[in-house]
Amino acid sequence: MTASYDKNISQAQSNETQNLVDAFNALDTDAKLAWFYLVYKKMGDSITPAAPAAAEPELSPILSEDYFKLSDEEQLAIMRDIVNRKDTEHSRAYGAIKENNQLLVWYAWAVAMGDTVVDLPSSYQPAKEINDLVSQIEGLEFEEQMSVFRTIAGEVGYTDIKPIATQAETGKTPSL
């Protein structure tokens, strides 16, 4: 079972930014991972100050120190489980943290790629869809970029926590 997400509460507010989130969601698993890597490689200098400054530095050790000690194959499997929203220990740990911390996880992994984190194969050439998506995001204003990044980061991982129903959905007014 995979966790679902409600596009109606997406942080990607404009049609343009929502279209970019939809384009990301249309990518296959490994293309999504390549997108995360390329975004942080090309745009990490602008994402980095925003995400960690808003994040709480106490990340789950399973996503930080412990993760860095795993084999390349284990790390790749965990990344794939997270982008596929699988119900696994790592995906639940990721799904349990706030979006700014989720951005921090991807940042930490991207910084360590090729060192203590599995790297893209040296022969890897990103597909046109990935390059187009990165280019479109680069063309956005900073706030729109962060909106897209937070939305994408928040939609991956597994959580079984459901959003609280709104008054319009329940027909009930809040009580004191």
Side-chain angles (χ1 to χ4, degrees), residues 3-94:
S4 64
Y5 58 92
D6 184 354
K7 284 182 153 183
N8 296 324
I9 59 170
S10 170
Q11 285 197 33
Q13 299 295 325
S14 72
N15 284 339
E16 180 183 14
T17 55
Q18 186 59 55
N19 289 341
L20 294 174
V21 171
D22 292 342
F24 171 83
N25 287 329
L27 298 173
D28 68 33
T29 301
D30 288 341
K32 288 176 182 176
L33 294 177
W35 177 86
F36 272 111
Y37 177 79
L38 293 171
V39 160
Y40 278 100
K41 189 96 165 151
K42 286 186 159 200
M43 305 171 70
D45 291 342
S46 62
I47 301 168
T48 306
E56 295 140 18
E58 293 302 316
L59 289 178
S60 170
I62 196 171
L63 298 172
S64 54
E65 302 102 45
D66 296 349
Y67 178 84
F68 294 121
K69 296 174 187 169
L70 299 173
S71 72
D72 287 357
E73 293 78 21
E74 291 169 314
Q75 289 176 348
L76 185 56
I78 289 166
M79 287 179 183
R80 286 175 173 155
D81 287 347
I82 290 171
V83 299
N84 288 323
R85 304 176 182 101
K86 288 195 175 179
D87 185 0
T88 66
E89 181 182 17
H90 289 88
S91 194
R92 278 182 175 267
Y94 177 89

Side-chain angles (χ1 to χ4, degrees), residues 116-159:
T116 56
V117 173
V118 61
D119 203 354
L120 285 174
S122 58
S123 61
Y124 179 78
Q125 293 296 316
K128 181 183 183 321
E129 295 83 11
I130 298 170
N131 286 331
D132 289 350
L133 186 55
V134 171
S135 294
Q136 290 169 1
I137 290 170
E138 285 179 305
L140 297 175
E141 295 294 321
F142 177 75
E143 292 79 18
E144 292 174 308
Q145 290 174 348
M146 291 309 298
S147 174
V148 171
F149 298 149
R150 281 191 188 99
T151 300
I152 288 171
E155 288 181 356
V156 299
Y158 181 88
T159 183

